[in-house]
Amino acid sequence: MAATTPIGSACELSVVDHHMLSESSNKFHVGEVFQNRDTVRRTIEEIFASQCLPRLSRGQRRRAHAKSIGPRPCIVIEEPHRSPDSVTVTPPQICLMATFGGTPMEDLPRVFQFFCIPVMTLCGRPLEGAHAPSLPEWTRPNAHVIAWPYLAQRPLGRRWRLPKGYRGDGSDTDFGEIAMQTLKDMCAQKKRDWEQCCLEDPGLAAEYEREFRVSPSAR
């Protein structure tokens, strides 16, 4: 029997999600979670670059493309695909996940507060509003999806699995069909909101960037 998990608000768990089904021969499928060595800086730099902010210094560029100390989870948003010339392969599009070392979201730079979506966890408090549940339920508290998809530049590692000692431990983790559609919709909405906010306040992106640069999360 396929694993299922509820999706929706913490008070309305009436919808049951299911694993995504894919008939493609790709190694990476939508909704699957893999190990990745990008830092959260990589995603944030992509967000700032979308507003044509000044080019990064050499040091900032090096830090943005540095490897994370350990693997972090990422969700496959779009599968890799081969170009019409059948030679070039576009890498998978991914969203990074992060726990920020347990730092409360309200203590992080506002760019994280704008783009992060909480993940329902097995051991965490109930969530209200928009959130992303995984199959099986995520185990680490304070987990978030950074809702800005980008093309993976590093090869993805192994499938992300639950640690020992949890229900369903050793199982590959992924996000189901309903969760992925909701996540894609939220990513698109976040992008529209960001563009609209930056249009209404032309200095907003630069303000968020300055705040991010002096934060420990940018080091």
Side-chain angles (χ1 to χ4, degrees), residues 58 74 89 131 137 139-140 143 163 165 172 210 214:
R58 181 178 298 180
C74 69
V89 176
H131 58 270
E137 293 160 303
T139 57
R140 296 189 64 182
D172 291 335
R210 286 192 298 270
V214 300

Side-chain angles (χ1 to χ4, degrees), residues 122-135:
L122 186 63
C123 50
R125 59 181 175 80
L127 297 174
E128 296 181 359
H131 58 270
S134 64
L135 297 169

Side-chain angles (χ1 to χ4, degrees), residues 66-82:
K67 285 185 178 181
S68 61
I69 295 175
R72 71 171 60 254
C74 69
I75 308 169
V76 176
I77 304 298
E78 296 291 347
E79 297 182 10
H81 61 274
R82 195 172 292 275

